[in-house]
Amino acid sequence: MEVIELFKKLVSTKSETPDDGGLLNFITEYLSDFEAIRIDRGDVKNLFIYKKFGSGEHLCFAGHVDVVPAGSGWKYDPYSATEDGDYIYGRGTQDMKSGVAAFVQVVKKTKNFNGTLSLLLTSDEEGEAINGTVKVLEYLKENTMLPDVCIVAEPTCEEIFGDAIKVGRRGSINGYLTLRGKQGHAAYPEKAINPIHQIAKPLSKMAGVDLDDGDAAFAPSKFVITDIRSGMEVTNVTPNDLKMMFNVRNNTKTTQIEVREFVEKHMGVLDYDLRLTQGSYPFQTDTNTKLVRKIDEAIEKVTGIRPKYSTAGGTSDARFIAPMGIDVIEFGVKNDTIHSVNERTTKKEVEDLFKVFRTLIEDWEK
């Protein structure tokens, strides 16, 4: 089986979160000369599979086999892996069965490596991510099996294959604000406390505001309002309270402390409650590390392009890997149709991704 055949096998298997569609069993059988450990939790399927070739460093490839629901309006069956010219269509072609196919095929073909090669796979990345990669990492830490370096094969390229790798990610802070007022008749506003009127002035100084200036690696942390609800959908009653939700994709300069201080500054003495949660924290991998240097060289050798370093976008399971003290980067095919109808990627990108990973392994000790 070559990489495109493997890729089409993965794409044609329906594996919507948290279902793996049997893919982890298939990969275990496909890599039958590797040691396999299943770390399933509830409905979530997790696989750590590894092979020690030598006494050197432990290089891990990480990813997920689960995909978001396909939705409707597709040109082709989203689980048919249909070829159309240079493209292969299907849910997960970019996010991220292309990456999984490339690194599974690479480790299968590898005969020599002065170290350990492993794969960390989950069916829980597109969901709550509670029982997926984080549980595998906990197991590996408990058993002194954590890798030294890790590549997450998420789609990272922007305009052409090879033009970008992720060397970090922003965190994500969620805010839930409740502003209390006093319900009343619209004809007697002086007898009520209208929370909509109260928030109007501070809102103009909060919405879309940068909380810091960012830096060379990260864009500024921006205060983004995602939802405001109040009232009873009638015209003659002013509301008793108002609920607002917001999100801050934070860099390393802004924490929950700064977010809370920002809200307090603008809400002042208004009667409100604020709750903050954080699902992920920002991280950045040193670009002078061996991992970054070697992936740069491999990409340039295959494509002729020197990739730029990016921290843009949402979150990935790299957010769980970095806090373990593991150097981690992300590299994969172009990211322009993920989660959309008619998601697709080219055969050449999948083949070139395989070549980049193969080159990385072959040149690791050079």
Side-chain angles (χ1 to χ4, degrees):
M1 185 181 293
E2 297 303 321
V3 67
I4 294 300
E5 184 181 356
L6 174 60
F7 175 51
K8 293 179 73 173
K9 160 69 177 176
L10 301 184
V11 174
S12 62
T13 301
K14 186 176 182 179
S15 54
E16 294 180 1
T17 310
D19 183 19
D20 77 326
L23 287 177
L24 297 191
N25 285 338
F26 167 77
I27 291 170
T28 300
E29 294 172 5
Y30 192 62
L31 301 176
S32 58
D33 58 337
F34 279 59
E35 295 289 331
I37 303 172
R38 291 297 293 265
I39 310 165
D40 298 346
R41 296 291 184 271
D43 294 335
V44 175
K45 305 297 188 294
N46 299 308
L47 171 66
F48 183 75
I49 188 165
Y50 68 99
K51 185 175 183 179
K52 187 173 182 178
F53 293 83
S55 59
E57 292 167 295
H58 179 175
L59 170 59
C60 177
F61 292 94
H64 61 93
V65 297
D66 60 315
V67 298
V68 297
S72 59
W74 283 70
K75 184 177 181 180
Y76 304 108
D77 179 345
Y79 296 107
S80 64
T82 299
E83 291 192 41
D84 185 345
D86 295 332
Y87 290 96
I88 296 177
Y89 285 76
R91 175 57 81 224
T93 47
Q94 287 189 341
D95 189 14
M96 59 168 284
K97 291 181 177 179
S98 48
V100 173
F103 64 59
V104 168
Q105 190 70 359
V106 161
V107 299
K108 183 175 179 64
K109 296 290 186 178
T110 298
K111 303 302 180 185
N112 296 294
F113 181 70
N114 184 27
T116 299
L117 292 178
S118 66
L119 308 182
L120 191 167
L121 290 162
T122 183
S123 69
D124 188 39
E125 197 272 350
E126 297 289 6
E128 295 181 346
I130 294 173
N131 289 317
T133 295
V134 65
K135 298 300 183 184
V136 180
L137 290 167
E138 289 173 0
Y139 174 91
L140 296 179
K141 184 176 181 180
E142 290 170 2
N143 290 275
T144 321
M145 296 175 67
L146 285 171
D148 298 302
V149 294
C150 184
I151 299 170
V152 182
E154 291 277 5
T156 60
C157 298
E158 298 174 359
E159 300 297 329
I160 56 174
F161 178 77
D163 66 1
I165 65 173
K166 303 283 188 187
V167 296
R169 291 277 190 166
R170 297 173 298 175
S172 181
I173 299 172
N174 297 312
Y176 307 85
L177 185 147
T178 299
L179 177 59
R180 287 182 287 271
K182 180 181 178 183
Q183 183 175 311
H185 197 296
Y188 303 97
E190 69 280 2
K191 296 181 179 180
I193 301 174
N194 190 332
I196 298 176
H197 290 184
Q198 284 189 313
I199 205 168
K201 185 175 181 179
L203 196 61
S204 66
K205 299 177 182 178
M206 299 168 70
V209 170
D210 291 340
L211 304 185
D212 55 56
D213 296 327
D215 55 29
F218 290 96
S221 305
K222 190 179 293 291
F223 192 92
V224 178
I225 296 170
T226 58
D227 192 83
I228 297 178
R229 299 175 187 231
S230 188
M232 298 183 288
E233 297 189 35
V234 296
T235 60
N236 59 350
V237 181
T238 61
N240 197 57
D241 57 31
L242 176 147
K243 296 182 185 296
M244 182 176 82
M245 299 169 67
F246 62 87
N247 177 261
V248 177
R249 294 301 167 112
N250 66 306
N251 58 40
T252 53
K253 291 184 173 182
T254 293
T255 69
Q256 290 188 39
I257 294 173
E258 286 78 26
V259 173
R260 185 173 293 277
E261 289 175 346
F262 176 79
V263 173
E264 290 173 350
K265 173 184 175 182
H266 293 291
M267 294 298 290
V269 297
L270 296 178
D271 186 10
Y272 71 95
D273 290 324
L274 175 65
R275 179 169 65 91
L276 298 176
T277 64
Q278 187 152 8
S280 60
Y281 293 82
F283 73 91
Q284 183 184 1
T285 297
D286 185 349
T287 56
N288 295 312
T289 60
K290 178 180 179 179
L291 174 61
V292 177
R293 186 174 74 253
K294 287 299 183 180
I295 194 71
D296 280 355
E297 293 171 357
I299 293 169
E300 188 169 23
K301 193 170 184 178
V302 172
T303 68
I305 299 170
R306 197 75 171 183
K308 75 173 187 179
Y309 303 144
S310 172
T311 60
T315 61
S316 76
D317 277 359
R319 70 189 190 271
F320 302 126
I321 298 168
M324 292 288 181
I326 302 166
D327 286 340
V328 58
I329 60 99
E330 299 172 46
F331 179 67
V333 301
K334 195 163 69 173
N335 175 346
D336 62 353
T337 61
I338 66 169
H339 292 203
S340 68
V341 171
N342 294 323
E343 183 180 352
R344 67 181 190 175
T345 194
T346 64
K347 290 181 284 185
K348 180 171 174 49
E349 285 183 69
V350 179
E351 290 167 342
D352 282 353
L353 184 59
F354 166 79
K355 292 175 184 177
V356 168
F357 291 157
R358 182 182 62 189
T359 301
L360 176 78
I361 290 172
E362 291 174 347
D363 295 349
W364 186 253
E365 295 298 338
K366 293 182 181 179

